[in-house]
Amino acid sequence: MKRTTALLPAFFLAALTSAVVPTAYVSADEKPLVVAQTSTVNINTASAEELSASLKGIGTSKAQAIVDYREKVGKFVSIDQLAEVKGIGAATVEKNRALIRLQ
């Protein structure tokens, strides 16, 4: 009996600590801090709003620069071409590569 009661506090402590889930609280006008990225975005057809919501490190001004570049130069033929947009470097392209599609 003594052994069982000694394990109960450890069991409850483990149950309580494993049930704690961190939550990010943001106001209604902010983007969520944690977003599950399960879908991709077509950089040849997406709006600036869609791009900024879907891509890491891309805010509204960089998203608009992508749209402006696309309208001036034409459709992107490779994901690496995204680095030609002013303000977007190779590191940003790499961290978003899995989220980007061309068609």
Side-chain angles (χ1 to χ4, degrees):
M1 184 69 137
K2 204 171 208 185
R3 182 178 222 189
T4 305
T5 56
L7 293 177
L8 285 176
F11 172 77
F12 286 118
L13 180 60
L16 288 175
T17 57
S18 66
V20 176
V21 178
T23 304
Y25 294 98
V26 293
S27 66
D29 59 336
E30 292 179 291
K31 288 184 182 179
L33 296 177
V34 179
V35 178
Q37 296 288 340
T38 56
S39 63
T40 58
V41 62
N42 184 333
I43 60 171
N44 285 318
T45 59
S47 67
E49 293 80 18
E50 291 169 323
L51 291 167
S52 66
S54 301
L55 300 176
K56 302 171 191 170
I58 303 294
T60 54
S61 62
K62 287 183 185 177
Q64 188 58 53
I66 293 170
V67 172
D68 293 344
Y69 178 92
R70 183 179 70 210
E71 289 173 353
K72 181 180 178 184
V73 176
K75 290 186 174 188
F76 290 90
V77 294
S78 74
I79 294 173
D80 292 320
Q81 186 181 359
L82 190 58
E84 296 176 14
V85 176
K86 183 178 180 176
I88 299 176
T92 301
V93 173
E94 285 308 312
K95 71 180 170 183
N96 286 294
R97 187 172 294 279
L99 304 173
I100 298 170
R101 69 179 193 276
L102 300 172
Q103 295 183 20

Coordinates of all heavy atoms in Angstrom, one line a residue:
M1 N 0.8 -1.2 0.0 CA 0.0 0.0 0.0 C 0.9 1.3 0.0 O 0.5 2.2 -0.7 CB -0.9 0.0 1.2 CG -1.9 1.1 1.2 SD -3.1 1.0 -0.1 CE -4.5 1.4 0.7
K2 N 1.9 1.2 0.7 CA 2.8 2.4 0.8 C 3.4 2.7 -0.6 O 3.6 3.8 -0.9 CB 3.9 2.1 1.8 CG 4.5 3.3 2.4 CD 5.4 2.9 3.5 CE 5.5 4.1 4.5 NZ 6.4 3.9 5.6
R3 N 3.7 1.6 -1.3 CA 4.3 1.8 -2.6 C 3.3 2.5 -3.6 O 3.7 3.4 -4.4 CB 4.8 0.5 -3.2 CG 5.4 0.6 -4.5 CD 5.9 -0.8 -5.0 NE 7.2 -0.6 -5.5 CZ 7.8 -1.6 -6.2 NH1 7.3 -2.7 -6.3 NH2 9.0 -1.3 -6.7
T4 N 2.1 2.1 -3.6 CA 1.1 2.7 -4.4 C 0.8 4.2 -4.1 O 0.8 5.0 -5.0 CB -0.3 1.9 -4.3 OG1 0.0 0.5 -4.5 CG2 -1.3 2.4 -5.2
T5 N 0.8 4.5 -2.8 CA 0.5 5.9 -2.5 C 1.7 6.8 -2.8 O 1.6 7.9 -3.1 CB 0.2 6.0 -1.0 OG1 1.2 5.4 -0.2 CG2 -1.2 5.4 -0.7
A6 N 2.9 6.2 -2.8 CA 4.1 7.0 -3.2 C 4.1 7.3 -4.7 O 4.7 8.3 -5.1 CB 5.4 6.2 -2.8
L7 N 3.6 6.4 -5.5 CA 3.5 6.6 -6.9 C 2.4 7.6 -7.4 O 2.5 8.3 -8.4 CB 3.3 5.3 -7.7 CG 4.5 4.3 -7.6 CD1 4.1 3.0 -8.3 CD2 5.7 4.9 -8.2
L8 N 1.4 7.7 -6.6 CA 0.3 8.6 -7.0 C 0.7 10.1 -7.1 O 0.3 10.7 -8.1 CB -0.9 8.5 -6.0 CG -1.7 7.2 -6.1 CD1 -2.8 7.1 -5.0 CD2 -2.3 7.1 -7.4
P9 N 1.4 10.7 -6.2 CA 1.8 12.1 -6.4 C 2.7 12.2 -7.7 O 2.5 13.2 -8.5 CB 2.6 12.4 -5.2 CG 2.2 11.5 -4.1 CD 1.8 10.2 -4.9
A10 N 3.5 11.3 -8.0 CA 4.3 11.4 -9.2 C 3.5 11.2 -10.4 O 3.7 11.9 -11.4 CB 5.4 10.3 -9.2
F11 N 2.5 10.4 -10.4 CA 1.6 10.2 -11.5 C 0.8 11.5 -11.8 O 0.7 11.9 -12.9 CB 0.6 9.0 -11.2 CG -0.5 8.9 -12.2 CD1 -0.3 8.4 -13.5 CD2 -1.8 9.4 -12.0 CE1 -1.3 8.3 -14.4 CE2 -2.8 9.3 -12.9 CZ -2.5 8.7 -14.1
F12 N 0.2 12.1 -10.7 CA -0.6 13.3 -10.9 C 0.3 14.5 -11.4 O -0.1 15.3 -12.2 CB -1.3 13.7 -9.6 CG -2.5 12.8 -9.3 CD1 -2.5 12.0 -8.2 CD2 -3.5 12.7 -10.2 CE1 -3.6 11.1 -8.0 CE2 -4.6 11.9 -10.0 CZ -4.6 11.1 -8.9
L13 N 1.5 14.5 -10.9 CA 2.4 15.6 -11.3 C 2.7 15.4 -12.8 O 2.7 16.4 -13.6 CB 3.7 15.6 -10.5 CG 4.8 16.6 -10.9 CD1 4.2 18.0 -10.7 CD2 6.0 16.5 -10.1
A14 N 3.0 14.2 -13.2 CA 3.3 14.0 -14.6 C 2.1 14.3 -15.5 O 2.2 14.9 -16.6 CB 3.7 12.5 -14.8
A15 N 0.9 13.9 -15.0 CA -0.3 14.2 -15.8 C -0.6 15.7 -15.9 O -1.0 16.2 -17.0 CB -1.5 13.5 -15.1
L16 N -0.4 16.4 -14.8 CA -0.6 17.9 -14.9 C 0.4 18.6 -15.8 O 0.1 19.4 -16.6 CB -0.5 18.4 -13.5 CG -1.7 18.1 -12.5 CD1 -1.4 18.7 -11.2 CD2 -2.9 18.7 -13.1
T17 N 1.7 18.2 -15.7 CA 2.7 18.9 -16.5 C 2.6 18.5 -18.0 O 2.9 19.4 -18.8 CB 4.1 18.6 -16.0 OG1 4.3 17.2 -16.0 CG2 4.3 19.2 -14.6
S18 N 2.2 17.3 -18.3 CA 2.0 17.0 -19.7 C 0.8 17.6 -20.4 O 0.7 17.6 -21.6 CB 2.1 15.4 -19.9 OG 0.9 14.9 -19.3
A19 N -0.2 18.0 -19.6 CA -1.4 18.5 -20.1 C -1.3 20.0 -20.4 O -2.2 20.6 -21.0 CB -2.5 18.3 -19.1
V20 N -0.2 20.7 -20.0 CA 0.0 22.1 -20.2 C 0.3 22.3 -21.6 O 1.3 21.8 -22.1 CB 1.0 22.7 -19.2 CG1 1.3 24.1 -19.5 CG2 0.6 22.5 -17.8
V21 N -0.5 23.2 -22.3 CA -0.2 23.5 -23.7 C 0.0 25.0 -23.8 O -0.9 25.8 -23.4 CB -1.4 23.0 -24.6 CG1 -1.2 23.4 -26.0 CG2 -1.7 21.6 -24.4
P22 N 1.1 25.4 -24.3 CA 1.3 26.9 -24.5 C 0.3 27.5 -25.5 O 0.0 26.9 -26.5 CB 2.7 27.0 -25.0 CG 3.1 25.7 -25.5 CD 2.2 24.7 -24.8
T23 N -0.2 28.6 -25.1 CA -1.2 29.3 -26.0 C -0.7 30.7 -26.3 O -0.2 31.4 -25.4 CB -2.5 29.4 -25.3 OG1 -2.9 28.1 -24.9 CG2 -3.6 30.0 -26.2
A24 N -0.8 31.1 -27.5 CA -0.4 32.5 -27.9 C -1.6 33.3 -27.9 O -2.6 33.0 -28.6 CB 0.3 32.5 -29.2
Y25 N -1.6 34.4 -27.2 CA -2.8 35.3 -27.2 C -2.4 36.6 -28.0 O -1.3 37.2 -27.8 CB -3.1 35.8 -25.8 CG -3.6 34.6 -24.9 CD1 -2.8 33.9 -24.1 CD2 -5.0 34.2 -25.1 CE1 -3.3 32.9 -23.3 CE2 -5.4 33.2 -24.3 CZ -4.6 32.5 -23.4 OH -5.1 31.4 -22.7
V26 N -3.2 36.9 -28.9 CA -3.0 38.1 -29.7 C -4.3 38.9 -29.8 O -5.4 38.3 -29.7 CB -2.5 37.8 -31.2 CG1 -1.1 37.2 -31.1 CG2 -3.4 36.9 -31.9
S27 N -4.2 40.2 -30.1 CA -5.4 40.9 -30.3 C -6.0 40.6 -31.7 O -5.4 40.0 -32.5 CB -5.1 42.4 -30.2 OG -4.3 42.9 -31.2
A28 N -7.3 41.0 -31.9 CA -8.0 40.7 -33.1 C -7.3 41.3 -34.4 O -7.5 40.7 -35.5 CB -9.4 41.2 -33.0
D29 N -6.6 42.4 -34.3 CA -6.0 43.0 -35.4 C -4.5 42.5 -35.7 O -3.9 42.9 -36.7 CB -6.0 44.5 -35.3 CG -5.2 45.0 -34.1 OD1 -5.1 44.2 -33.1 OD2 -4.8 46.2 -34.1
E30 N -4.0 41.5 -34.9 CA -2.7 41.0 -35.2 C -2.8 39.6 -35.8 O -3.8 38.9 -35.6 CB -1.9 40.9 -33.8 CG -1.6 42.2 -33.2 CD -0.9 42.0 -31.9 OE1 -1.5 41.5 -30.9 OE2 0.3 42.3 -31.9
K31 N -1.7 39.2 -36.5 CA -1.6 37.9 -37.0 C -1.3 36.9 -35.8 O -0.7 37.3 -34.9 CB -0.4 37.7 -38.0 CG -0.7 38.4 -39.3 CD 0.5 38.1 -40.2 CE 0.4 38.8 -41.5 NZ 1.5 38.6 -42.4
P32 N -1.8 35.7 -35.9 CA -1.5 34.7 -34.8 C 0.0 34.5 -34.8 O 0.7 34.5 -35.8 CB -2.3 33.5 -35.3 CG -3.2 33.9 -36.3 CD -2.7 35.2 -36.9
L33 N 0.5 34.2 -33.6 CA 1.9 34.0 -33.4 C 2.3 32.6 -33.9 O 3.4 32.4 -34.3 CB 2.3 34.1 -31.9 CG 2.1 35.5 -31.3 CD1 2.4 35.5 -29.8 CD2 2.9 36.5 -32.0
V34 N 1.4 31.7 -33.8 CA 1.7 30.3 -34.2 C 0.6 29.9 -35.3 O -0.6 29.9 -35.0 CB 1.6 29.3 -33.0 CG1 1.8 27.9 -33.5 CG2 2.6 29.7 -31.9
V35 N 1.1 29.6 -36.4 CA 0.2 29.3 -37.5 C 0.7 27.9 -38.1 O 1.8 27.7 -38.4 CB 0.2 30.3 -38.7 CG1 -0.7 29.9 -39.8 CG2 -0.2 31.7 -38.1
A36 N -0.2 27.0 -38.2 CA 0.1 25.7 -38.8 C 0.2 25.9 -40.3 O -0.8 26.3 -40.9 CB -1.0 24.7 -38.4
Q37 N 1.3 25.6 -40.8 CA 1.5 25.7 -42.3 C 1.3 24.3 -42.9 O 2.2 23.5 -42.9 CB 2.9 26.2 -42.6 CG 3.2 27.6 -42.1 CD 2.5 28.6 -42.9 OE1 2.0 28.4 -44.0 NE2 2.3 29.8 -42.3
T38 N 0.1 24.1 -43.4 CA -0.1 22.8 -44.0 C -0.4 22.9 -45.5 O -0.4 21.9 -46.2 CB -1.4 22.1 -43.4 OG1 -2.5 23.0 -43.5 CG2 -1.1 21.8 -41.9
S39 N -0.6 24.1 -46.0 CA -0.9 24.3 -47.4 C 0.2 25.1 -48.1 O 1.0 25.8 -47.4 CB -2.3 24.9 -47.7 OG -2.3 26.2 -47.1
T40 N 0.2 25.1 -49.4 CA 1.2 25.9 -50.1 C 0.5 27.1 -50.8 O -0.8 27.2 -50.8 CB 1.8 25.1 -51.2 OG1 0.8 24.6 -52.1 CG2 2.6 23.9 -50.6
V41 N 1.3 28.1 -51.2 CA 0.7 29.2 -51.9 C 1.3 29.4 -53.3 O 2.5 29.2 -53.4 CB 0.9 30.5 -51.0 CG1 2.4 30.8 -50.8 CG2 0.2 31.7 -51.6
N42 N 0.5 29.7 -54.3 CA 1.0 29.9 -55.6 C 1.4 31.3 -55.8 O 0.6 32.2 -55.7 CB -0.1 29.6 -56.6 CG 0.3 29.6 -58.0 OD1 1.2 30.4 -58.4 ND2 -0.3 28.9 -58.9
I43 N 2.7 31.5 -55.9 CA 3.3 32.9 -56.0 C 3.0 33.6 -57.3 O 3.2 34.8 -57.4 CB 4.8 33.0 -55.6 CG1 5.6 32.1 -56.6 CG2 5.0 32.6 -54.2 CD1 7.1 32.4 -56.5
N44 N 2.4 32.8 -58.3 CA 2.1 33.4 -59.5 C 0.6 33.9 -59.6 O 0.3 34.6 -60.5 CB 2.3 32.4 -60.7 CG 3.8 32.3 -61.0 OD1 4.5 33.3 -61.0 ND2 4.3 31.1 -61.2
T45 N -0.2 33.5 -58.6 CA -1.6 33.9 -58.6 C -2.0 34.6 -57.3 O -3.1 35.2 -57.3 CB -2.5 32.7 -59.0 OG1 -2.3 31.7 -58.0 CG2 -2.2 32.2 -60.3
A46 N -1.3 34.4 -56.2 CA -1.8 34.9 -54.9 C -1.7 36.4 -54.8 O -0.9 37.1 -55.4 CB -0.9 34.3 -53.8
S47 N -2.7 36.9 -54.1 CA -2.7 38.3 -53.8 C -1.7 38.7 -52.7 O -1.1 37.8 -52.1 CB -4.1 38.7 -53.2 OG -4.3 38.1 -52.0
A48 N -1.4 39.9 -52.5 CA -0.4 40.4 -51.5 C -0.9 39.9 -50.1 O -0.1 39.5 -49.3 CB -0.3 41.9 -51.6
E49 N -2.2 40.0 -49.9 CA -2.7 39.5 -48.6 C -2.5 38.0 -48.4 O -2.1 37.6 -47.3 CB -4.2 39.8 -48.5 CG -4.6 41.3 -48.5 CD -4.5 42.0 -49.8 OE1 -4.6 41.3 -50.9 OE2 -4.4 43.2 -49.9
E50 N -2.7 37.2 -49.4 CA -2.5 35.8 -49.3 C -1.0 35.5 -49.1 O -0.7 34.6 -48.3 CB -3.0 35.1 -50.6 CG -4.5 35.1 -50.7 CD -5.0 34.6 -52.1 OE1 -4.3 34.9 -53.1 OE2 -6.0 34.0 -52.2
L51 N -0.2 36.2 -49.8 CA 1.3 36.0 -49.6 C 1.7 36.3 -48.2 O 2.5 35.5 -47.6 CB 2.1 36.8 -50.7 CG 1.9 36.3 -52.1 CD1 2.4 37.4 -53.1 CD2 2.5 35.0 -52.4
S52 N 1.3 37.4 -47.7 CA 1.8 37.8 -46.4 C 1.2 36.9 -45.3 O 1.9 36.7 -44.3 CB 1.4 39.3 -46.1 OG 0.0 39.4 -46.0
A53 N 0.0 36.3 -45.5 CA -0.6 35.4 -44.5 C 0.1 34.0 -44.6 O 0.1 33.3 -43.6 CB -2.1 35.3 -44.8
S54 N 0.6 33.7 -45.7 CA 1.1 32.3 -46.0 C 2.6 32.1 -45.8 O 3.0 31.0 -45.5 CB 0.7 31.8 -47.4 OG -0.7 31.9 -47.5
L55 N 3.4 33.1 -46.0 CA 4.8 33.0 -46.1 C 5.5 33.6 -44.8 O 5.1 34.6 -44.3 CB 5.4 33.7 -47.3 CG 4.9 33.1 -48.6 CD1 5.4 33.9 -49.8 CD2 5.2 31.6 -48.8
K56 N 6.5 32.9 -44.3 CA 7.3 33.3 -43.2 C 8.2 34.5 -43.5 O 8.9 34.4 -44.5 CB 8.1 32.2 -42.6 CG 7.3 30.9 -42.3 CD 8.3 29.8 -42.0 CE 7.5 28.5 -41.9 NZ 8.4 27.3 -41.9
G57 N 8.1 35.5 -42.7 CA 9.0 36.7 -42.9 C 8.6 37.6 -44.0 O 9.3 38.5 -44.4
I58 N 7.4 37.4 -44.5 CA 6.8 38.2 -45.6 C 5.7 39.0 -45.1 O 4.6 38.5 -44.8 CB 6.4 37.4 -46.8 CG1 7.5 36.5 -47.4 CG2 5.8 38.3 -47.9 CD1 8.7 37.3 -48.0
G59 N 5.9 40.3 -44.9 CA 4.8 41.2 -44.4 C 4.1 41.8 -45.6 O 4.3 41.4 -46.8
T60 N 3.3 42.8 -45.4 CA 2.5 43.4 -46.4 C 3.3 44.1 -47.5 O 3.0 44.0 -48.7 CB 1.5 44.4 -45.9 OG1 2.1 45.4 -45.1 CG2 0.4 43.7 -45.0
S61 N 4.4 44.8 -47.1 CA 5.2 45.5 -48.1 C 6.0 44.5 -49.0 O 6.1 44.7 -50.2 CB 6.1 46.5 -47.5 OG 7.0 45.9 -46.6
K62 N 6.6 43.5 -48.4 CA 7.3 42.5 -49.2 C 6.3 41.7 -50.1 O 6.6 41.4 -51.3 CB 8.1 41.6 -48.4 CG 9.3 42.2 -47.8 CD 10.2 41.2 -47.0 CE 11.3 41.9 -46.3 NZ 12.1 41.0 -45.5
A63 N 5.2 41.4 -49.6 CA 4.1 40.7 -50.4 C 3.7 41.6 -51.6 O 3.6 41.1 -52.7 CB 2.9 40.4 -49.5
Q64 N 3.6 42.9 -51.4 CA 3.2 43.8 -52.5 C 4.3 43.8 -53.5 O 4.1 43.9 -54.7 CB 2.8 45.1 -52.0 CG 2.3 46.1 -53.0 CD 1.0 45.5 -53.7 OE1 0.1 45.1 -53.1 NE2 1.1 45.4 -55.0
A65 N 5.6 43.8 -53.0 CA 6.7 43.8 -53.9 C 6.8 42.6 -54.8 O 7.1 42.6 -55.9 CB 8.0 43.9 -53.1
I66 N 6.3 41.4 -54.2 CA 6.2 40.2 -55.0 C 5.2 40.4 -56.1 O 5.5 40.0 -57.3 CB 5.9 39.0 -54.1 CG1 7.0 38.7 -53.2 CG2 5.6 37.8 -55.0 CD1 6.7 37.7 -52.1
V67 N 4.1 40.9 -55.8 CA 3.0 41.1 -56.8 C 3.4 42.1 -57.8 O 3.2 41.9 -59.0 CB 1.7 41.6 -56.1 CG1 0.6 42.0 -57.1 CG2 1.2 40.5 -55.2
D68 N 4.1 43.2 -57.4 CA 4.6 44.2 -58.4 C 5.6 43.6 -59.3 O 5.6 43.9 -60.5 CB 5.2 45.4 -57.6 CG 4.1 46.2 -56.8 OD1 2.9 46.0 -57.1 OD2 4.5 47.0 -55.9
Y69 N 6.5 42.8 -58.8 CA 7.6 42.2 -59.6 C 6.9 41.3 -60.6 O 7.2 41.3 -61.8 CB 8.5 41.4 -58.7 CG 9.6 40.6 -59.4 CD1 10.8 41.2 -59.7 CD2 9.3 39.3 -59.9 CE1 11.8 40.5 -60.4 CE2 10.3 38.6 -60.6 CZ 11.5 39.2 -60.8 OH 12.5 38.5 -61.5
R70 N 5.9 40.5 -60.2 CA 5.2 39.5 -61.0 C 4.5 40.3 -62.1 O 4.5 39.8 -63.3 CB 4.2 38.7 -60.2 CG 3.5 37.6 -60.9 CD 2.6 36.9 -60.0 NE 1.5 37.7 -59.5 CZ 0.8 37.6 -58.4 NH1 1.2 36.7 -57.5 NH2 -0.2 38.3 -58.1
E71 N 3.9 41.4 -61.8 CA 3.2 42.2 -62.8 C 4.1 42.8 -63.9 O 3.8 43.0 -65.0 CB 2.3 43.2 -62.2 CG 1.1 42.6 -61.5 CD 0.3 43.6 -60.6 OE1 0.7 44.8 -60.5 OE2 -0.8 43.3 -60.1
K72 N 5.3 43.2 -63.4 CA 6.3 43.8 -64.3 C 7.1 42.8 -65.1 O 7.2 43.0 -66.3 CB 7.3 44.6 -63.4 CG 8.3 45.4 -64.2 CD 9.2 46.2 -63.3 CE 10.3 46.9 -64.1 NZ 11.3 47.6 -63.2
V73 N 7.5 41.7 -64.5 CA 8.4 40.8 -65.2 C 7.7 39.6 -65.8 O 8.1 39.0 -66.8 CB 9.5 40.3 -64.2 CG1 10.4 39.3 -64.8 CG2 10.3 41.5 -63.7
G74 N 6.6 39.2 -65.2 CA 5.8 38.1 -65.6 C 5.9 37.0 -64.6 O 6.5 37.2 -63.5
K75 N 5.3 35.9 -64.9 CA 5.2 34.8 -63.9 C 6.6 34.3 -63.5 O 7.5 34.3 -64.3 CB 4.4 33.6 -64.4 CG 2.9 33.9 -64.6 CD 2.2 32.7 -65.0 CE 0.7 32.9 -64.9 NZ -0.1 31.7 -65.2
F76 N 6.7 33.8 -62.2 CA 7.9 33.2 -61.7 C 8.1 31.9 -62.4 O 7.1 31.1 -62.5 CB 7.8 33.0 -60.2 CG 7.9 34.3 -59.4 CD1 6.7 35.0 -59.1 CD2 9.1 34.8 -59.0 CE1 6.8 36.2 -58.4 CE2 9.1 36.0 -58.3 CZ 8.0 36.7 -58.0
V77 N 9.3 31.6 -62.9 CA 9.5 30.3 -63.5 C 10.3 29.4 -62.6 O 10.4 28.2 -62.8 CB 10.3 30.5 -64.8 CG1 9.4 31.2 -65.9 CG2 11.6 31.2 -64.6
S78 N 10.8 29.9 -61.5 CA 11.5 29.1 -60.5 C 11.3 29.7 -59.1 O 11.1 31.0 -59.0 CB 13.0 28.9 -60.7 OG 13.7 30.1 -60.4
I79 N 11.3 29.0 -58.1 CA 11.2 29.5 -56.7 C 12.4 30.4 -56.4 O 12.2 31.4 -55.7 CB 11.0 28.3 -55.7 CG1 9.7 27.6 -55.9 CG2 11.1 28.9 -54.3 CD1 9.5 26.4 -55.1
D80 N 13.6 30.0 -56.9 CA 14.8 30.8 -56.6 C 14.7 32.3 -57.2 O 15.3 33.2 -56.7 CB 16.0 30.1 -57.2 CG 16.3 28.9 -56.4 OD1 16.2 28.9 -55.2 OD2 16.7 27.9 -57.1
Q81 N 13.8 32.4 -58.2 CA 13.6 33.7 -58.8 C 13.0 34.7 -57.8 O 13.2 35.9 -58.0 CB 12.7 33.6 -60.1 CG 12.6 34.9 -60.9 CD 11.7 34.7 -62.1 OE1 11.1 33.6 -62.3 NE2 11.4 35.7 -62.8
L82 N 12.4 34.2 -56.8 CA 11.8 35.1 -55.8 C 12.8 36.0 -55.1 O 12.6 37.1 -54.7 CB 11.1 34.2 -54.8 CG 10.2 34.9 -53.7 CD1 9.1 35.7 -54.4 CD2 9.6 33.9 -52.8
A83 N 14.1 35.5 -55.1 CA 15.2 36.3 -54.4 C 15.5 37.5 -55.2 O 16.2 38.4 -54.7 CB 16.4 35.4 -54.3
E84 N 15.0 37.6 -56.5 CA 15.2 38.8 -57.3 C 14.3 40.0 -56.9 O 14.6 41.1 -57.3 CB 15.0 38.5 -58.8 CG 16.0 37.5 -59.3 CD 15.8 37.1 -60.7 OE1 15.0 37.8 -61.4 OE2 16.4 36.1 -61.2
V85 N 13.3 39.7 -56.1 CA 12.4 40.7 -55.6 C 13.1 41.5 -54.5 O 13.7 41.0 -53.6 CB 11.1 40.1 -55.0 CG1 10.2 41.2 -54.4 CG2 10.4 39.3 -56.1
K86 N 13.1 42.8 -54.6 CA 13.7 43.7 -53.6 C 13.2 43.4 -52.2 O 12.0 43.4 -52.0 CB 13.5 45.2 -54.0 CG 14.2 46.1 -53.1 CD 14.0 47.6 -53.5 CE 14.8 48.4 -52.5 NZ 14.7 49.8 -52.8
G87 N 14.2 43.2 -51.3 CA 13.9 42.9 -49.9 C 13.7 41.5 -49.5 O 13.5 41.1 -48.4
I88 N 13.8 40.6 -50.5 CA 13.7 39.2 -50.3 C 15.0 38.5 -50.7 O 15.5 38.6 -51.8 CB 12.6 38.5 -51.1 CG1 11.2 39.2 -50.6 CG2 12.5 37.0 -50.9 CD1 10.0 38.7 -51.4
G89 N 15.6 37.9 -49.7 CA 16.9 37.2 -49.9 C 16.8 35.7 -50.0 O 15.7 35.1 -49.8
A90 N 17.9 35.1 -50.2 CA 18.0 33.6 -50.4 C 17.5 32.9 -49.1 O 16.9 31.9 -49.2 CB 19.4 33.2 -50.7
A91 N 17.8 33.5 -47.9 CA 17.4 32.9 -46.7 C 15.9 32.8 -46.5 O 15.3 31.8 -46.1 CB 18.0 33.6 -45.5
T92 N 15.2 33.9 -47.0 CA 13.8 33.9 -46.9 C 13.2 32.9 -47.9 O 12.2 32.3 -47.6 CB 13.2 35.4 -47.2 OG1 13.8 36.3 -46.3 CG2 11.7 35.4 -47.2
V93 N 13.8 32.8 -49.1 CA 13.3 31.9 -50.0 C 13.5 30.5 -49.5 O 12.5 29.6 -49.6 CB 14.1 32.0 -51.4 CG1 13.8 30.9 -52.3 CG2 13.9 33.3 -52.0
E94 N 14.6 30.2 -48.9 CA 14.8 28.8 -48.3 C 13.8 28.4 -47.2 O 13.3 27.3 -47.2 CB 16.3 28.7 -47.8 CG 17.3 28.5 -48.9 CD 16.9 27.4 -49.9 OE1 16.6 26.3 -49.5 OE2 17.0 27.7 -51.1
K95 N 13.6 29.4 -46.3 CA 12.7 29.0 -45.2 C 11.2 28.9 -45.7 O 10.4 28.4 -45.0 CB 12.8 30.0 -44.0 CG 12.3 31.4 -44.2 CD 12.5 32.2 -42.9 CE 12.2 33.6 -43.2 NZ 12.4 34.4 -42.0
N96 N 10.9 29.4 -46.9 CA 9.6 29.3 -47.4 C 9.4 28.3 -48.6 O 8.3 28.1 -49.1 CB 9.1 30.6 -47.9 CG 8.7 31.5 -46.8 OD1 7.8 31.3 -46.0 ND2 9.5 32.6 -46.6
R97 N 10.5 27.7 -49.0 CA 10.5 26.8 -50.2 C 9.4 25.8 -50.2 O 8.7 25.5 -51.2 CB 11.9 26.1 -50.3 CG 12.1 25.4 -51.6 CD 13.5 24.9 -51.8 NE 14.4 26.0 -52.0 CZ 14.6 26.6 -53.2 NH1 13.9 26.3 -54.2 NH2 15.5 27.6 -53.3
A98 N 9.2 25.1 -49.1 CA 8.2 24.1 -49.0 C 6.8 24.6 -49.0 O 5.8 23.9 -49.3 CB 8.4 23.3 -47.7
L99 N 6.6 25.9 -48.8 CA 5.3 26.5 -48.8 C 4.9 27.1 -50.2 O 3.8 27.6 -50.4 CB 5.2 27.6 -47.8 CG 5.6 27.2 -46.3 CD1 5.7 28.4 -45.4 CD2 4.6 26.2 -45.8
I100 N 5.9 27.2 -51.1 CA 5.7 27.9 -52.4 C 5.4 26.9 -53.5 O 6.1 25.9 -53.6 CB 6.9 28.8 -52.7 CG1 7.1 29.8 -51.6 CG2 6.8 29.4 -54.1 CD1 8.4 30.6 -51.7
R101 N 4.5 27.2 -54.3 CA 4.3 26.5 -55.6 C 4.2 27.5 -56.7 O 3.9 28.7 -56.5 CB 3.1 25.6 -55.5 CG 1.8 26.2 -55.5 CD 0.7 25.1 -55.4 NE -0.6 25.7 -55.7 CZ -1.4 26.3 -54.8 NH1 -1.0 26.3 -53.6 NH2 -2.5 26.8 -55.1
L102 N 4.5 27.0 -57.9 CA 4.5 27.9 -59.1 C 3.2 27.7 -60.0 O 2.9 28.5 -60.9 CB 5.7 27.7 -60.0 CG 7.0 28.0 -59.2 CD1 8.2 27.5 -60.1 CD2 7.2 29.4 -58.8
Q103 N 2.5 26.6 -59.8 CA 1.3 26.3 -60.6 C 0.2 26.0 -59.7 O 0.3 25.5 -58.6 CB 1.6 25.2 -61.5 CG 2.6 25.6 -62.6 CD 2.8 24.5 -63.6 OE1 1.9 23.6 -63.8 NE2 3.9 24.5 -64.3

